[in-house]
């Protein structure tokens, strides 16, 4: 007799993701099939890691995927199936630029202080522009940005919103898996 493979997520979990993401239940099931393709065997099951994201062709053009993946994994270094669906929802073309801007701001507000300090801004630009720009060029850009802020040493969400144009957010935080509409 053939053993049936256990579903990655229950119907209830899929319904919950459907209400929390931009995907339909059918799309979530397709995404879970892709998840299975890139999952690695582990003693406690088959899971993706943040490094697995770099194997997905559609995600290669999104420079922030490694950062997003590292923020999404659990303490074991595992990217759970539901977290994978949520991550793909964040970068979906159906997610608004405003939502993506909030995600991007939160991604670099590492201290959760509702502002981005010098070191966080440096990391953001390094992630986006590495290897195009050298560290000293990035430092110069960061210093110039922080000199023009109302609050010395950090930028607020409102300043960030003015600093990063919509087209750039859309370009750097958008990807779509093949087979999804």
């Amino acid at each position: 007799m053939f053993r049936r493979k256990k579903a990655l997520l229950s119907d209830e979990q899929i319904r919950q993701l459907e209400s929390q993401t931009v995907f339909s239940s059918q799309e979530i099931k397709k995404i879970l099939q892709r998840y299975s393709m890139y999952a690695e065997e582990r003693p406690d099951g088959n899971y993706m890691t943040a490094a697995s994201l770099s194997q997905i062709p559609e995600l290669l053009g999104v420079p922030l995927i490694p950062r997003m993946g590292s923020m999404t994994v659990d303490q074991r270094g595992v990217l759970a199936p539901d977290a994978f669906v949520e991550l793909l929802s964040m970068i979906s073309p159906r997610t608004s630029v405003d939502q993506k801007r909030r995600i991007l701001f939160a991604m670099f507000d590492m201290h959760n202080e509702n502002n981005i300090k010098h070191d966080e801004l440096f990391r953001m630009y390094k992630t986006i522009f590495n290897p195009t720009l050298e560290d000293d060029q990035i430092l110069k850009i960061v210093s110039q940005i922080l000199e023009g802020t109302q609050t010395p040493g950090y930028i607020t969400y409102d300043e960030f919103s003015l600093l990063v144009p919509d087209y750039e957010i859309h370009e750097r935080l958008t990807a779509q898996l093949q087979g999804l509409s």
Side-chain angles (χ1 to χ4, degrees):
M1 252 226 200
F2 294 103
R3 289 182 71 181
R4 193 168 187 205
K5 247 186 170 179
K6 184 182 173 205
L8 291 172
L9 297 174
S10 69
D11 289 341
E12 177 58 34
Q13 289 172 306
I14 290 173
R15 280 191 295 278
Q16 186 175 7
L17 280 170
E18 186 176 22
S19 70
Q20 295 172 344
T21 68
V22 298
F23 302 122
S24 69
S25 61
Q26 285 304 106
E27 291 172 320
I28 292 169
K29 290 174 184 174
K30 287 180 183 179
I31 291 169
L32 293 174
Q33 288 174 343
R34 287 294 294 272
Y35 179 93
S36 295
M37 290 172 53
Y38 295 99
E40 302 170 8
E41 276 191 50
R42 297 173 65 104
D44 55 345
N46 293 348
Y47 296 103
M48 285 184 69
T49 62
S52 306
L53 295 170
S54 66
Q55 299 172 10
I56 301 173
E58 297 94 331
L59 303 184
L60 293 177
V62 183
L64 296 168
I65 282 293
R67 175 93 179 110
M68 294 175 84
S70 67
M71 291 177 58
T72 311
V73 296
D74 66 16
Q75 65 275 9
R76 300 172 297 158
V78 165
L79 180 64
D82 55 338
F84 181 65
V85 173
E86 290 168 353
L87 186 144
L88 292 178
S89 181
M90 289 182 216
I91 62 171
S92 168
R94 290 183 248 162
T95 300
S96 73
V97 170
D98 188 52
Q99 287 174 293
K100 290 179 185 202
R101 178 178 286 111
R102 290 188 187 288
I103 291 165
L104 184 62
F105 185 83
M107 198 181 333
F108 289 98
D109 178 14
M110 294 174 213
H111 305 296
N112 296 320
E113 297 175 336
N114 295 320
N115 59 56
I116 299 178
K117 291 186 172 48
H118 184 278
D119 64 316
E120 297 164 324
L121 193 58
F122 176 81
R123 286 184 191 148
M124 180 178 87
Y125 276 98
K126 186 156 178 82
T127 301
I128 293 171
F129 295 113
N130 193 34
T132 308
L133 298 177
E134 299 289 328
D135 284 0
D136 58 333
Q137 293 171 299
I138 296 171
L139 281 171
K140 185 177 179 180
I141 292 169
V142 168
S143 294
Q144 288 174 341
I145 290 169
L146 292 176
E147 284 173 11
T149 62
Q150 293 178 3
T151 47
Y154 63 88
I155 61 172
T156 64
Y157 178 77
D158 291 337
E159 291 168 324
F160 178 80
S161 295
L162 296 172
L163 179 67
V164 185
D166 290 357
Y167 75 88
E168 186 137 357
I169 289 172
H170 179 75
E171 182 180 298
R172 300 203 185 268
L173 275 179
T174 303
Q176 173 136 353
L177 287 186
Q178 291 180 4
L180 298 180
S181 52

